[in-house]
Amino acid sequence: MLLVTLQVLSEENQKDIIRFCKDEHLLLLADEVYQENVFAENKKFFSFKKVSRSMGYGEKDLSLVSFHSISKGYCGECGKRGGYMEVTGLDNDAKEQLYKIASVNLCSNISGQILMSLVMNPPKSGEESYKSFQQERDSILASLGRRAKRFAEALNKLEGVSCNEAEGALHLFPRLHLPERALKAASAIDMPADTFYVRKLLDATGIVMVPGSGFGQAPGTWHIRSTVLPPEKKLPDIISRLSTFHQRFMDEFRK
């Protein structure tokens, strides 16, 4: 299980969450779309359903909805849309309402449905395409891991920026320590400081990042969220443009 901060929950963390949800009679929504994107060598993905069953909890003990998608992982990487959810531990009346909502919504497009089927039923050992499938999958995941590591290292070299190493997923979530003048300039136009930063970044470089203020960050802290999806050959140029902008931004508001 991966958090928005790109850290992988340990199995013990997951057990604590499961116990809490069981004791408080809460529905557990498990967004497990990044299950293939685990980069840290000492970390592993565990589904909440598997962990809850290992604890002896069945459908009568825990209400759980597990989500998966092709838009992450190695197959659709934020370009294709399609997914599913598995619902366990809900009573029939609740399930009927879910089916009712689903029946009036549009389904994902045909290519998304086909890709989701392929993700759920990949080539198996001994089949003609298995070797090439393995090679392509492993190549994509390894490349994403290298990009995450390189980008995190570059961010940590910037003045006033701290970024945890990405243990998984497809994003980085660095923290910004901005000069007081930058905070005041943002406040003067009634804008969160991280939004102020990313808008200036976009205008100056064409690089799009998302302000952390949309992710429930701690009050008084500022973050940005960036993907690691640009092709590896383009990453040096992106890092160079970001570094140049950031230094000019800090110099401008340090005066």
Side-chain angles (χ1 to χ4, degrees):
M1 184 64 181
L2 295 105
L3 302 174
V4 70
T5 52
L6 302 320
Q7 306 304 293
V8 182
L9 287 176
S10 69
E11 191 173 2
E12 287 305 312
N13 292 150
Q14 291 180 263
K15 287 180 178 179
D16 289 340
I17 294 171
I18 290 168
R19 291 189 193 99
F20 179 76
C21 290
K22 177 182 179 296
D23 293 344
E24 299 297 327
H25 306 288
L26 297 175
L27 172 64
L28 175 53
L29 303 178
D31 184 356
E32 298 176 340
V33 299
Y34 291 114
Q35 57 189 261
E36 297 284 350
N37 305 103
V38 178
F39 310 134
E41 293 183 2
N42 62 335
K43 296 295 180 74
K44 184 179 179 180
F45 167 78
F46 296 98
S47 73
F48 267 99
K49 183 179 181 182
K50 183 176 182 178
V51 175
S52 66
R53 297 301 183 261
S54 74
M55 298 168 67
Y57 297 157
E59 292 202 24
K60 293 182 179 180
D61 304 302
L62 180 72
S63 296
L64 171 66
V65 182
S66 304
F67 301 91
H68 195 22
S69 168
I70 61 168
S71 66
K72 307 296 185 282
Y74 58 85
C75 195
E77 302 111 283
C78 297
K80 293 293 184 179
R81 291 292 178 262
Y84 71 87
M85 64 180 184
E86 181 190 29
V87 179
T88 61
L90 266 67
D91 62 36
N92 289 332
D93 288 341
K95 287 182 179 180
E96 286 180 7
Q97 295 305 312
L98 283 176
Y99 283 127
K100 185 185 295 184
I101 294 172
S103 67
V104 299
N105 286 336
L106 295 175
C107 64
S108 60
N109 56 37
I110 295 298
S111 62
Q113 294 183 54
I114 293 172
L115 278 174
M116 193 71 253
S117 175
L118 293 174
V119 168
M120 298 303 298
N121 299 281
K124 297 176 178 60
S125 178
E127 294 181 348
E128 185 176 356
S129 60
Y130 179 70
K131 186 175 181 180
S132 60
F133 162 76
Q134 265 197 322
Q135 290 174 341
E136 184 171 1
R137 179 199 61 195
D138 293 349
S139 174
I140 291 170
L141 292 174
S143 174
L144 289 168
R146 290 192 299 269
R147 283 177 259 177
K149 182 178 180 180
R150 185 170 186 181
F151 202 11
E153 289 173 348
L155 287 166
N156 278 317
K157 291 178 181 178
L158 301 180
E159 178 187 356
V161 178
S162 58
C163 183
N164 290 335
E165 179 181 351
E167 296 182 348
L170 301 175
H171 304 86
L172 295 172
F173 199 68
R175 181 174 177 178
L176 302 177
H177 302 268
L178 301 175
E180 186 63 28
R181 288 190 64 234
L183 301 181
K184 290 181 178 179
S187 179
I189 57 174
D190 196 27
M191 184 181 292
D194 45 11
T195 303
F196 181 73
Y197 179 91
V198 297
R199 285 198 177 183
K200 283 190 167 291
L201 173 66
L202 176 61
D203 291 341
T205 68
I207 297 172
V208 179
M209 292 189 180
V210 180
S213 48
F215 294 91
Q217 62 192 353
T221 66
W222 308 106
H223 297 76
I224 51 177
R225 189 173 191 250
S226 172
T227 74
V228 297
L229 291 171
E232 280 190 86
K233 63 182 180 181
K234 293 185 177 182
L235 202 55
D237 175 62
I238 293 171
I239 290 172
S240 176
R241 283 188 283 147
L242 172 62
S243 300
T244 299
F245 162 80
H246 183 79
Q247 191 58 55
R248 289 175 178 171
F249 180 93
M250 298 299 282
D251 289 343
E252 176 185 354
F253 290 100
R254 187 178 14 248
K255 297 175 182 178

